Amino acid sequence: MNDLLLAQCDPKAPLLDADTRTRVLAALPGWLPDAENKLIGRRFGFDNFYQVMAFVDAVAEIAHAQDHHPEMLVGYNACTVSYTTHSRGGLTLNDAICAAQVSALPEASGS
């Protein structure tokens, strides 16, 4: 996972093949693929809305730095973050890089 934390997204990243996708997802605890393996998502829980919004701001910083943007569903005490590479029609290493960096952000304990 350290490699993903330090990596920079590549706008020309190819789609992940099945073996690489399996390996990458194993390094991203809590991130689950959709039925077609075109998207990965994870729910992050918090104690209150203020913490959720601080998390959203931190995810926005990662998105800006990586030029790779997630879909987010924001609620009172949780945020679900999903990644896919629209220009490639599925998962690329860019999605894993951003997922790893988002996973490194603080989350409320016990969520």
Side-chain angles (χ1 to χ4, degrees), residues 33-87:
D34 68 348
E36 289 116 21
N37 289 308
K38 292 186 174 194
L39 174 145
I40 55 174
R42 179 176 167 190
R43 181 188 182 277
F44 294 85
F46 299 93
D47 295 328
N48 57 57
F49 191 67
Y50 179 80
Q51 290 175 347
V52 172
M53 293 313 295
F55 176 80
V56 168
D57 286 343
V59 172
E61 288 293 325
I62 292 168
H64 179 71
Q66 291 291 353
D67 195 25
H68 194 67
H69 304 86
E71 297 289 330
M72 290 191 279
L73 176 61
V74 178
Y76 168 74
N77 63 353
C79 179
T80 300
V81 181
S82 301
Y83 282 101
T84 188
T85 302
H86 295 284
S87 63

